[in-house]
Amino acid sequence: MIAPRIRRALRNSLGAVAAVFALAACTGGQQEAGLELEILKTVRDQVKLRLKDKPERPPVTRALLDSLDDTYIEVRVEDSDLLAYLRPLLVKQDSTPGTLTLWVTEDSVTLALREGVLTATRGLRNDMLSASTLVTETGGRMGPRGQGARRYEIAALDNRSEVFTLACTVSDLGPETIEIVELTYQTRHLQEHCESESGLVVNDYWVDSRSGHLWQSRQWAGPTIGYMRIRQLTL
Amino acid sequence: MAPFRRDMFWRHAGGLSLGLFFMTALATGAAQAQSAPGTDGFASAAPVGALEAPSLTPPPAPGLNFYGTPGLIDMPSAEMLPDGHFATTFSWFGGQSRYNLTFQALPWLSASFRYNGIRNLNLFGFSTYYDRGFDVRFRLLRERRYLPELTMGLQDFAGTGVYAAEYLVATKRIETPPLRFGGAAGRVPGQLKITAGLGWGRLGSHGAIGKIGGNRPSFVGGSTGGQLSYDQWFRGDFAPFAGVEWQANERWSFKAEYSSDAYRTETRASNVFERKSQVNLGLEYQRSPTTRIGAYYLYGSEFGVTAQFQLKPRHPMVPTQVPAPAPIVPRSQWATEAAHWSQDWAQSQNKRVEVRDLVAEDLKSHGLVLEAIDLKGTEAEVRFRNPRYRSYAIAVGRVARTMARALPPSVETFRIIPVRSGMGLSATVVRRSDLEDLEFAPEAVDGLAAVTAVTAAGPLPETAIFSGELYPAFSHSISPYADPAYFDPSRPFRMDLGVDLSASYAPAPGWRISGAIRQRVWGNVQDGRASNSVLPHVRTDQSFYAQHGTTLESLYVDRSWQPRHNFYARLRAGLFEAMYGGISGEVLWKPVASPLALGLETNYVIQRDYDQRFSFRDYKTFTGHASAYLELGKNYQAQVDVGRYLAGDYGATFSLFREFENGFKVGGFFTRTNVSAADFGEGSFDKGFYFRIPLGWLIGKESRNAYGLTIRPIQRDGGQRVGGVGGLYGDVRDAHRSSLTAQRARAWE
């Protein structure tokens, strides 16, 4: 119980510090905040974030998921070990094959999946601006097929983008049974192997043997974000 | 738990335990995640072998020597830093400290500035001798399979020359097997770097093997300096030096060298340290991609240390993160009836005001400010201010999204115009259906750029309606400030700290009344030395101005407007800066797609009294310049200003900058006027360098603020200009075609 008390004390003293800042530095009207002000504000926000209580999470159970009316996917970023639950924000068809679904976290990070294949991220650092996919049809079996080039365009460096074009081949690694929160699915494990001089990317997809629905995948989202593990929790 | 409707879930979930669980879904940096349940299902993912995923990590940079350039310990090597690197180093041994800044301006050219102190030198009338100097290095040959890299260096080539030396140096790198120790993963191979060179001047002072062109003119301590000492270059004795560096892995590096520097001034003319050997040894540790520290044993008697910081302007310290925008929902999904597409709304003033308010509200969520909007049945023009984003491309992209979201379906053509000080800077014209179709296209960035036009903003349409919230507008801020002063021989660094109270009032578009009061809290600039300048003291009375704690920093009326197509103008009257007030006018010609801009600035100024209130001193002058600005490509910009300076001298200033797309800027300038070197005093003519580090580059957040610093080796009175005026070019260029095109990737963010 000591830790929360310390945290509370810190938070209170932080409030005092913030008040001092507020007296010593403030702005009003349409004028842009100056450099010094913005630095103070950034420091203040960072300290606040550090001291904030981390939310406790109840375990995800099928019973809990069944009580939900909405569709959810779970996304875990491997390198940073971050976890989020996303709901669909937009479903659309454009002039590129495949239905596109835009998924959103509560704090406005979005992932665009075309038939389950990641094509864009927004709201992260060095976002994937766009990516071509090996999706060839709309509404059939989800995931990529065949072989061809994949072009990843990543927001990077000084307000520009970096493009990585990789030669990809999709192979079927055979049947696999996977479990997602107490439910098992018979799937085929597809692997997309992409290579170029700039490096190697291996994306994995687990697609339902019968319905062709993509239940689970592990996909590369760019050099900074790294690999993401995506699972469909509810339909 | 009772089932609930989808929309209710998101509206009310905050109060429910389950909702809370999902509402706290995380994004990067927000909080630490707990371990995810059941992720082992991914275990069958194929292990990635020796090949790694594509990376944005810059190539490793070579270590730096005691002079802040790539090298061994006290000797240089032939290596160059990666293009654009900006390195700061501190080195110390035997009572000698050197602060170095090195900028790799081109892949084959680097320039350095150094400030050094030699304790107990007891020469030239100073106990501790402080000096400044510039170096420049050229790569003559690139490293080949069997050939080494070859570099020519001119060290301290224009100062008073205490460290003056020239050299030719060759370095060959040989790959060594990766080693895993000392915190290194051992994935990257090591490198053995073998260096040998010939040095002149200081680097030819021990073990000379020959002589070119007779005796070298000697170093004259305490002279005016500033002139290129080309009569000394590659003259006199020359001596060999050599060394090896073994970069064992990505963390540790071992160095050994044979120095050709006899440290004559320090060890014979004075007694700074005792030199017993010419062999130096060192160990360096790469703490992070930015930071490297080293410990050394030099000249058989002294320990030394270095701390090296390498900033990579193209690689921000923290990559920027902006909240994801709402997607563009194609009109085909929500305007499903013919009536939705009617243009009748455009006839109704009420409806147009309603649309304006909707757009203004949505822009606020992106941190943008609506200035004015013009609505027609199928066309709309939005004029906006951008107080948040360094890149106008992302601002324009966000405005396009707002328009696609808020405007009636009949509007198909968007004209998006960033505005600054009431002036429209450029117009980006884009079709709404292209936005709808391309948002998730495989080549969204280039696809959109191909169908977007950037043209001149043009005058404000008569039918435009202004934002209801902007005029008149009053704003204020209270903010701390820091005001440094450099290179006083008795104390190299001085600083004033305090608080600025500033306020501005904008009665109408283009008009502004602005002022700032400054209260010093602490500082020692007032103890600076008095000027010995024979010119009018237009800049060197800084310490007199620093005697007063509460000052009126500025107070002026300002009017900006566009007199005609491609022209921008500004008039300003009042107190511009701490030292000058008066009246100032500027006109700039800059077509939206032109790499060339021309400007004219004229000022009549009166020097302000030291107390910086409303009174003036007895010095009045006309000053003004004709300027040409040219974008050279690859982020280089050149500028020439010709005219009359504050002290009444005539001449020209030449500047060369490299401004990266993220706003990181490094450059240098010099001014030659009709003031003689003797009248100018120390340094002979005005020169200096400039750098600007954007706040967003440091903290990974969108911001238009930046930390900028102009450093002159010495502040004198020749070639000086009035501050707080001008600047139209910088205001305008950011939003013109070259920037918007180069940064087009950000338009979809």
Side-chain angles (χ1 to χ4, degrees):
Chain A
M1 291 319 284
I2 291 167
R5 211 174 301 153
I6 293 172
R7 220 168 354 209
R8 240 190 330 268
L10 268 172
R11 211 161 27 204
N12 292 344
S13 55
L14 181 81
V17 172
V20 170
F21 277 165
L23 286 176
C26 71
T27 179
Q30 298 283 2
Q31 190 171 300
E32 298 170 25
L35 175 70
E36 291 84 357
L37 267 184
E38 213 177 331
I39 292 172
L40 284 181
K41 191 174 170 301
T42 305
V43 170
R44 199 166 54 194
D45 291 350
Q46 280 299 317
V47 173
K48 258 189 198 166
L49 200 67
R50 296 267 155 86
L51 296 181
K52 208 165 99 180
D53 283 322
K54 313 281 190 295
E56 295 284 323
R57 289 192 154 144
V60 181
T61 61
R62 187 46 60 180
L64 181 102
L65 293 174
D66 284 344
S67 72
L68 294 173
D69 226 9
D70 219 329
T71 307
Y72 281 98
I73 58 171
E74 175 198 271
V75 175
R76 166 177 286 272
V77 180
E78 284 184 2
D79 289 351
S80 47
D81 208 32
L82 293 165
L83 179 67
Y85 299 92
L86 293 83
R87 68 191 169 93
L89 190 64
L90 173 74
V91 177
K92 82 174 220 180
Q93 267 150 31
D94 50 21
S95 47
T96 310
T99 303
L100 187 122
T101 310
L102 186 71
W103 300 83
V104 63
T105 66
E106 185 49 40
D107 53 358
S108 280
V109 173
T110 60
L111 301 185
L113 302 179
R114 195 178 284 283
E115 299 290 344
V117 180
L118 186 67
T119 65
T121 69
R122 291 290 185 276
L124 297 173
R125 299 187 195 276
N126 292 133
D127 272 315
M128 180 192 284
L129 291 174
S130 68
S132 64
T133 65
L134 297 183
V135 171
T136 52
E137 60 178 284
T138 307
R141 170 175 78 62
M142 291 174 75
R145 59 183 77 211
Q147 54 186 20
R150 284 200 70 183
R151 178 185 187 274
Y152 289 98
E153 183 155 7
I154 309 294
L157 309 180
D158 53 344
N159 279 333
R160 293 178 194 248
S161 63
E162 284 290 295
V163 173
F164 301 106
T165 305
L166 304 155
C168 303
T169 310
V170 181
S171 47
D172 188 338
L173 301 187
E176 255 171 52
T177 305
I178 59 164
E179 188 194 317
I180 301 175
V181 192
E182 301 160 37
L183 282 185
T184 55
Y185 301 97
Q186 305 300 322
T187 65
R188 299 208 64 90
H189 180 181
L190 306 178
Q191 191 167 75
E192 187 177 47
H193 184 100
C194 301
E195 214 177 318
S196 81
E197 274 182 1
S198 57
L200 170 73
V201 169
V202 178
N203 297 316
D204 291 275
Y205 307 86
W206 286 265
V207 179
D208 196 290
S209 306
R210 267 169 299 181
S211 67
H213 189 80
L214 200 158
W215 287 111
Q216 173 175 290
S217 63
R218 177 182 183 269
Q219 302 187 54
W220 189 66
T224 305
I225 305 170
Y227 281 92
M228 284 182 171
R229 296 175 170 200
I230 305 171
R231 308 195 298 169
Q232 182 113 32
L233 298 180
T234 59
L235 263 186
Chain B
M1 188 169 297
F4 39 81
R5 286 206 340 264
R6 176 177 302 190
D7 54 349
M8 279 186 58
F9 176 73
W10 290 104
R11 218 166 294 149
H12 306 295
L16 305 166
S17 63
L18 173 73
L20 202 63
F21 163 40
F22 281 100
M23 295 289 275
T24 50
L26 304 174
T28 44
Q32 288 293 310
Q34 296 155 16
S35 70
T39 47
D40 39 341
F42 293 90
S44 51
V48 175
L51 259 179
E52 307 231 355
S55 161
L56 295 170
T57 315
L64 305 168
N65 68 7
F66 272 60
Y67 290 98
T69 62
L72 294 155
I73 300 167
D74 213 19
M75 298 292 114
S77 74
E79 296 166 290
M80 290 273 139
L81 292 172
D83 185 30
H85 273 214
F86 186 68
T88 65
T89 48
F90 167 73
S91 64
W92 178 89
F93 89 92
Q96 305 165 80
S97 47
R98 299 173 194 157
Y99 305 84
N100 313 293
L101 286 174
T102 295
F103 180 58
Q104 190 73 36
L106 289 165
W108 50 269
L109 172 75
S110 73
S112 308
F113 171 73
R114 177 175 318 102
Y115 190 72
N116 67 283
I118 307 174
R119 214 167 53 197
N120 302 325
L121 189 67
N122 299 319
L123 295 174
F124 324 120
F126 306 103
S127 139
T128 298
Y129 182 76
Y130 292 106
D131 199 8
R132 301 163 290 273
F134 290 97
D135 300 352
V136 62
R137 285 160 55 89
F138 306 89
R139 184 174 64 197
L140 304 178
L141 279 180
R142 245 174 199 278
E143 188 175 4
R144 302 272 162 85
R145 194 163 172 191
Y146 298 110
L147 285 176
E149 190 146 300
L150 184 66
T151 291
M152 179 178 86
L154 301 174
Q155 186 169 290
D156 200 358
F157 66 91
T160 40
V162 68
Y163 284 136
E166 301 80 45
Y167 54 83
L168 283 166
V169 61
T171 298
K172 183 82 195 92
R173 288 174 282 203
I174 300 162
E175 195 171 297
T176 58
L179 288 181
R180 193 172 166 173
F181 69 88
R187 253 181 271 154
V188 185
Q191 269 185 342
L192 188 67
K193 304 173 184 175
I194 302 163
T195 295
L198 276 182
W200 283 257
R202 179 175 268 272
L203 293 181
S205 59
H206 180 88
I209 54 168
K211 185 181 266 197
I212 294 178
N215 283 336
R216 183 186 176 95
S218 65
F219 152 63
V220 189
S223 74
T224 316
Q227 306 285 18
L228 296 182
S229 30
Y230 47 80
D231 57 328
Q232 297 186 9
W233 296 348
F234 297 101
R235 291 273 299 279
D237 290 345
F238 58 91
F241 61 89
V244 287
E245 176 185 357
W246 178 39
Q247 179 77 49
N249 56 28
E250 60 267 40
R251 293 268 178 219
W252 293 96
S253 175
F254 303 88
K255 289 178 164 180
E257 70 176 14
Y258 165 79
S259 163
S260 58
D261 188 344
Y263 278 86
R264 264 186 214 139
T265 313
E266 293 83 350
T267 57
R268 285 189 217 165
S270 184
N271 198 14
V272 177
F273 73 100
E274 198 182 344
R275 180 174 60 88
K276 293 179 176 166
S277 154
Q278 288 304 118
V279 175
N280 302 327
L281 301 169
L283 175 66
E284 288 178 4
Y285 177 69
Q286 187 82 38
R287 227 182 125 251
S288 73
T290 317
T291 313
R292 191 175 173 106
I293 47 176
Y296 313 85
Y297 187 62
L298 294 105
Y299 298 102
S301 62
E302 296 292 332
F303 282 99
V305 289
T306 64
Q308 314 173 11
F309 308 96
Q310 290 208 24
L311 305 182
K312 298 142 190 140
R314 290 194 67 221
H315 296 261
M317 298 288 263
V318 183
T320 316
Q321 188 173 27
V322 285
I328 295 167
V329 183
R331 282 165 293 170
S332 57
Q333 289 193 13
W334 53 277
T336 46
E337 292 167 29
H340 291 153
W341 295 77
S342 150
Q343 296 178 34
D344 295 348
W345 62 272
Q347 307 307 318
S348 149
Q349 176 70 10
N350 281 350
K351 187 69 193 167
R352 289 193 295 147
V353 168
E354 210 176 284
V355 171
R356 175 198 73 180
D357 294 343
L358 215 59
V359 169
E361 207 50 44
D362 202 70
L363 284 182
K364 273 184 206 161
S365 72
H366 298 300
L368 300 170
V369 181
L370 180 76
E371 178 98 8
I373 191 167
D374 185 42
L375 296 163
K376 304 215 167 60
T378 58
E379 245 185 82
E381 176 178 305
V382 164
R383 292 182 179 238
F384 73 99
R385 288 187 208 163
N386 166 25
R388 176 176 294 179
Y389 304 97
R390 164 67 59 184
S391 169
Y392 271 95
I394 181 170
V396 167
R398 293 283 168 129
V399 174
R401 285 176 181 278
T402 292
M403 292 172 82
R405 195 178 157 90
L407 296 181
S410 66
V411 179
E412 169 64 12
T413 308
F414 296 168
R415 275 172 62 83
I416 302 165
I417 299 178
V419 170
R420 207 157 171 173
S421 309
M423 302 181 291
L425 306 179
S426 65
T428 301
V429 183
V430 62
R431 284 172 55 213
R432 192 175 189 172
S433 32
D434 287 333
L435 292 168
E436 290 169 343
D437 189 51
L438 290 169
E439 184 174 14
F440 299 104
E443 295 184 28
V445 171
D446 290 342
L448 186 68
V451 294
T452 303
V454 180
T455 63
L460 184 75
E462 280 178 10
T463 48
I465 28 181
F466 271 95
S467 160
E469 302 170 6
L470 288 188
Y471 302 105
F474 177 77
S475 59
H476 65 277
S477 90
I478 304 172
S479 159
Y481 78 88
D483 200 8
Y486 307 95
F487 308 141
D488 180 336
S490 62
R491 187 184 289 265
F493 185 74
R494 294 176 189 276
M495 175 95 105
D496 277 356
L497 299 171
V499 180
D500 273 338
L501 165 64
S502 58
S504 75
Y505 176 73
W511 283 95
R512 195 160 66 105
I513 300 162
S514 178
I517 295 170
R518 175 161 277 199
Q519 175 61 52
R520 184 178 62 215
V521 175
W522 176 89
N524 55 7
V525 177
Q526 58 188 329
D527 306 329
R529 62 177 168 169
S531 171
N532 61 359
S533 180
V534 298
L535 297 171
H537 291 193
V538 295
R539 282 294 177 208
T540 49
D541 283 343
Q542 193 185 10
S543 59
F544 292 157
Y545 281 93
Q547 300 299 323
H548 301 270
T550 310
T551 59
L552 179 61
E553 182 70 6
S554 65
L555 182 65
Y556 55 81
V557 186
D558 182 297
R559 161 105 171 96
S560 307
W561 77 103
Q562 286 164 289
R564 51 184 295 191
H565 194 61
N566 292 335
F567 279 86
Y568 303 84
R570 182 174 287 160
L571 267 181
R572 184 171 286 187
L575 308 171
F576 306 137
E577 47 141 313
M579 297 185 191
Y580 292 92
I583 181 156
S584 164
E586 189 190 4
V587 180
L588 177 79
W589 170 82
K590 169 79 176 79
V592 81
S594 165
L596 175 73
L598 301 171
L600 189 67
E601 179 199 309
T602 56
N603 318 285
Y604 178 69
V605 295
I606 314 176
Q607 193 166 30
R608 295 179 63 190
D609 246 337
Y610 299 139
D611 66 357
Q612 297 154 74
R613 306 251 162 122
F614 292 100
S615 54
F616 293 93
R617 292 176 58 74
D618 199 20
Y619 186 76
K620 310 176 176 75
T621 190
F622 273 108
T623 169
H625 289 85
S627 305
Y629 312 82
L630 185 63
E631 292 173 2
L632 301 172
K634 298 199 168 174
N635 301 132
Y636 283 92
Q637 295 168 42
Q639 182 180 339
V640 181
D641 310 281
V642 183
R644 182 179 149 104
Y645 294 83
L646 275 174
D649 42 343
Y650 291 89
T653 302
F654 301 86
S655 320
L656 187 64
F657 292 108
R658 187 162 185 190
E659 183 174 356
F660 297 86
E661 295 298 339
N662 55 20
F664 203 113
K665 188 171 176 181
V666 184
F669 64 89
F670 68 91
T671 301
R672 300 307 301 246
T673 68
N674 59 350
V675 168
S676 69
D679 283 351
F680 184 91
E682 194 182 338
S684 302
F685 60 95
D686 190 51
K687 60 196 163 298
F689 61 94
Y690 175 87
F691 63 89
R692 181 179 73 191
I693 302 177
L695 186 61
W697 184 92
L698 284 170
I699 62 173
K701 243 176 60 177
E702 284 295 342
S703 164
R704 289 197 59 79
N705 278 319
Y707 179 70
L709 198 60
T710 301
I711 296 181
R712 290 180 159 88
I714 180 102
Q715 176 70 62
R716 304 294 292 178
D717 292 316
Q720 298 302 308
R721 301 177 65 174
V722 62
V725 298
L728 274 175
Y729 180 70
D731 284 359
V732 165
R733 199 192 77 91
D734 273 10
H736 274 200
R737 189 185 286 171
S738 61
S739 287
L740 289 174
T741 310
Q743 297 165 25
R744 63 188 180 278
R746 300 223 65 192
W748 279 120
E749 269 188 68

